Amino acid sequence: GAVVSQHPSRVICKSGTSVKIECRSLDFQATTMFWYRQFPKQSLMLMATSNEGSKATYEQGVEKDKFLINHASLTLSTLTVTSAHPEDSSFYICSATRPLLAGGPSTQYFGPGTRLLVL
Amino acid sequence: GESVGLHLPTLSVQEGDNSIINCAYSNSASDYFIWYKQESGKGPQFIIDIRSNMDKRQGQRVTVLLNKTVKHLSLQIAATQPGDSAVYFCAENEAGANSKLTFGKGITLSVRP
């Protein structure tokens, strides 16, 4: 299998606090992990690409100081939403890639998502 | 810019019928395509994929068709079941793009009992 977990599944916090979300690949080593956010009835929006041991690559318009990404190992990446505000409330989803074949494209497997509500 | 889009926002089918979900893509450099299913409040679930050197691939009750000439991708679900009700996304990967995916807008499949 290719199981990806996220923790927590749901978090409610006060405005101004920071929230950390963990993403783990449980049964494989992920070469790359991705972080997305999704608003209701919309598609997934890529926030950043995370490679183990290197700095994350952020998509245009995503504040790297606001959304801190740490990729400590081949099975763990964390996203920290710093000084969260109500507009940061969203569904955050991570994915991890597992190479299909040597040199071939990698399939992304997604975590179950984290629902963040900032009051 | 390049984009991946879906023709229809919603699709309603009768239980037991076959479903066909369509997707258009515009990036001719894309060489890998994936269909995902997302149920409410959950992360996307991998359904089936296809590489650009193929035009058809079959899974259990699902078939993906790729027409590179017109840049069209479709997902066929045989004998649609209530459990198939979800939002379906097509996604494309550009060759050499470090597995980065571009997602379509999503289509809701509603199965009538």
Side-chain angles (χ1 to χ4, degrees):
Chain A
V3 181
V4 178
S5 70
Q6 277 184 246
H7 178 80
S9 59
R10 183 185 299 260
V11 58
I12 301 173
C13 69
K14 293 182 179 180
S15 184
T17 60
S18 294
V19 175
K20 179 186 284 188
I21 303 170
E22 291 187 349
C23 177
R24 293 181 185 271
S25 56
L26 299 184
D27 53 357
F28 67 100
Q29 291 187 325
T31 51
T32 305
M33 289 184 171
F34 298 86
W35 287 96
Y36 297 82
R37 67 186 297 181
Q38 185 179 34
F39 292 105
K41 299 189 184 301
Q42 292 189 23
S43 190
L44 284 74
M45 183 190 81
L46 179 65
M47 299 175 68
T49 302
S50 174
N51 291 290
E52 184 265 340
S54 62
K55 292 184 178 180
T57 302
Y58 290 81
E59 294 298 301
Q60 189 174 11
V62 178
E63 300 176 58
K64 61 180 181 181
D65 295 329
K66 172 76 172 177
F67 300 99
L68 300 178
I69 292 173
N70 182 273
H71 198 146
S73 73
L74 285 172
T75 60
L76 173 64
S77 176
T78 60
L79 168 68
T80 301
V81 183
T82 62
S83 186
H85 289 93
E87 58 265 30
D88 298 323
S89 299
S90 189
F91 192 50
Y92 292 87
I93 313 172
C94 73
S95 71
T97 58
R98 182 181 190 183
L100 294 175
L101 296 169
S106 300
T107 299
Q108 285 190 35
Y109 294 93
F110 285 83
T114 297
R115 178 76 60 191
L116 171 63
L117 176 61
V118 184
L119 302 177
Chain B
E2 302 284 8
S3 67
V4 177
L6 297 178
H7 293 305
L8 300 173
T10 60
L11 176 66
S12 180
V13 299
Q14 187 71 38
E15 180 179 358
D17 288 351
N18 296 333
S19 302
I20 300 176
I21 303 172
N22 296 305
C23 177
Y25 67 95
S26 57
N27 187 352
S28 56
S30 293
D31 67 348
Y32 180 55
F33 304 86
I34 310 174
W35 279 102
Y36 288 95
K37 170 187 179 183
Q38 186 178 26
E39 297 176 85
S40 181
K42 298 183 179 180
Q45 175 188 355
F46 172 89
I47 301 174
I48 193 167
D49 59 359
I50 188 167
R51 298 179 69 169
S52 60
N53 60 353
M54 303 172 67
D55 53 21
K56 181 179 180 179
R57 190 156 188 239
Q58 288 184 295
Q60 187 175 14
R61 277 201 313 119
V62 295
T63 301
V64 56
L65 299 176
L66 175 63
N67 186 330
K68 295 181 289 295
T69 302
V70 296
K71 297 189 182 69
H72 185 268
L73 188 72
S74 69
L75 176 70
Q76 299 179 359
I77 304 174
T80 312
Q81 302 170 359
D84 295 326
S85 294
V87 178
Y88 289 80
F89 294 97
C90 65
E92 61 174 338
N93 172 249
E94 179 178 331
N98 191 27
S99 303
K100 184 175 169 180
L101 293 176
T102 300
F103 279 82
K105 295 182 180 179
I107 183 168
T108 300
L109 176 65
S110 177
V111 182
R112 303 188 303 273

